[in-house]
Amino acid sequence: MANLLWLQGGACSGNTMSFLNAEEPSACDLVTDFGVNVLWHPSLGLELGENLKKLLNALTSGQMPLDIFVFEGTVVNAPNGTGEWNRFAGRPMRDWVSDLSKVANFVVAVGDCATWGGIPATAPNPSESQGLQFLKRNQGGFLGKDYKSKAGLPVINIPGCPAHPDWITQIVVAVATGRGGDLTLDEFQRPKTFFTSFTQTGCTRNMHFAYKVSATEFGQRKGCLFYDLGCRGPMTHSPCNRVLWNRQSSKTRAGMPCMGCTEPEFPFFDLAPGTVFKTQTVMGVPKDMPSGVDKTGYVKLTAAAKAASPRWAEEDIFVV
């Protein structure tokens, strides 16, 4: 039996909603099949008021073991480093996070806000928000770059806005069943099992990317979304086109550009008007290139691809 506590800081609850829709395994499967004891969760916990404080104090004092501490949302430090803007159970939430992280065997940050600070940490960041161990690309965050849980691991980051439900539950299962030490993390502490490949991997529009055939508006069934509509699929680490959402689709499959929400820089361009759904270019060459591609090689490749593009690449082949 693994005790799990889930708390929520500065957040929209999107990752909680995602988690409750998990399928493989589901939130119920965690309890019935994998021995996860959900001590408290913002949407599932029964304890209120003094009873909740007693539970939290039992954990921080060591009277009750805390195997998995899941945190969603940013650590709010405003105003002036006090955290008083986000109080919970009689204290600033940041104080609970600090104390619980000291006694937890594993700490899991779920969603962009908990991992890198997300949208709340976008300049000018009035809430003084941080991720647990990162602020955007800079390691450190609230707990500091040297933080390790009792099991000897840094914070396990599961980014996304929101994170895919099955990324969350499968990592929880790995930790709860004693395989947390087998997790291999990348430089941003994301599990490599999910975040080594790119969003473009498995995208149904790869042939259009190869032949430089561009989609020009949302919802089109043909054309790559990278060239004009700002899709970040070729440079975003996520399995969104391998582990499909609702087992059916993904943003790119539905004709919506990937916004790169699993990367530390999200949201890109600080949400400036005209930058989010438009590819930023210099003399026709995208400012942000697909990973591993230099600008000279890109120009040569796209010129050759455009010249070799077959007629069918311009047709809507997804006929119903």
Side-chain angles (χ1 to χ4, degrees):
M1 183 70 73
N3 286 341
L4 179 147
L5 176 75
W6 182 310
L7 295 185
Q8 192 178 93
C12 66
S13 303
N15 290 285
T16 278
M17 295 176 69
S18 181
F19 166 70
L20 295 177
N21 281 282
E23 296 181 29
E24 293 186 1
S26 69
C28 290
D29 292 337
L30 294 181
V31 177
T32 59
D33 296 348
F34 296 102
V36 175
N37 179 27
V38 181
L39 298 173
W40 199 83
H41 178 285
S43 297
L44 303 175
L46 299 178
E47 291 79 7
L48 297 172
E50 289 300 318
N51 289 332
L52 176 56
K53 289 172 69 173
K54 287 179 181 179
L55 170 63
L56 295 172
N57 286 323
L59 292 169
T60 58
S61 67
Q63 296 175 11
M64 182 183 296
L66 178 56
D67 298 295
I68 309 168
F69 174 36
V70 178
F71 192 68
E72 169 187 9
T74 63
V75 179
V76 175
N77 295 293
N80 303 317
T82 64
E84 291 290 341
W85 282 9
N86 182 200
R87 290 182 62 83
F88 177 75
R91 305 171 67 195
M93 176 63 84
R94 71 192 299 276
D95 294 347
W96 287 118
V97 171
S98 177
D99 290 346
L100 291 164
S101 297
K102 292 173 184 175
V103 298
N105 285 329
F106 295 92
V107 176
V108 180
V110 173
D112 272 7
C113 293
T115 52
W116 341 114
I119 290 176
T122 300
N125 192 4
S127 60
E128 300 173 29
S129 282
Q130 293 175 293
L132 283 184
Q133 211 166 4
F134 280 84
L135 179 57
K136 301 302 181 181
R137 188 168 285 263
N138 299 318
Q139 191 176 26
F142 176 69
L143 295 176
K145 66 178 182 179
D146 296 324
Y147 170 79
K148 293 286 194 302
S149 67
K150 289 181 69 176
L153 285 181
V155 174
I156 300 169
N157 285 330
I158 307 177
C161 193
H164 190 292
D166 296 343
W167 306 345
I168 303 170
T169 55
Q170 288 182 32
I171 294 302
V172 168
V173 165
V175 173
T177 55
R179 294 179 290 120
D182 296 334
L183 291 174
T184 304
L185 307 180
D186 69 9
E187 61 181 315
F188 297 111
Q189 299 165 203
R190 301 172 294 197
K192 285 187 176 181
T193 186
F194 290 125
F195 297 100
T196 298
S197 63
F198 296 95
T199 307
Q200 187 180 19
T201 307
C203 180
T204 55
R205 298 168 186 266
N206 275 336
M207 61 182 179
H208 297 114
F209 175 82
Y211 288 121
K212 208 177 184 300
V213 176
S214 181
T216 56
E217 59 186 43
F218 297 158
Q220 280 186 333
R221 296 192 294 182
K222 67 180 182 71
C224 179
L225 299 150
F226 169 73
Y227 298 110
D228 288 302
L229 296 180
C231 181
R232 303 194 65 84
M235 62 277 281
T236 296
H237 295 86
S238 92
C240 287
N241 278 301
R242 292 191 296 114
V243 182
L244 296 178
W245 292 74
N246 296 324
R247 294 288 171 270
Q248 296 184 53
S249 192
S250 69
K251 292 184 74 173
T252 58
R253 293 184 183 209
M256 177 72 179
C258 166
M259 295 180 67
C261 74
T262 56
E263 295 294 334
E265 293 81 5
F266 176 82
F268 294 85
F269 311 113
D270 292 339
L271 301 176
T275 64
V276 178
F277 296 118
K278 181 176 176 59
T279 301
Q280 306 301 298
T281 62
V282 176
M283 298 181 67
V285 178
K287 289 183 180 180
D288 294 337
M289 304 295 295
S291 293
V293 177
D294 62 69
K295 294 188 177 182
T296 301
Y298 173 85
V299 171
K300 293 179 179 178
L301 179 65
T302 53
K306 193 72 173 176
S309 177
R311 181 178 300 175
W312 55 257
E314 299 281 356
E315 299 174 354
D316 181 359
I317 63 175
F318 296 100
V319 178
V320 178

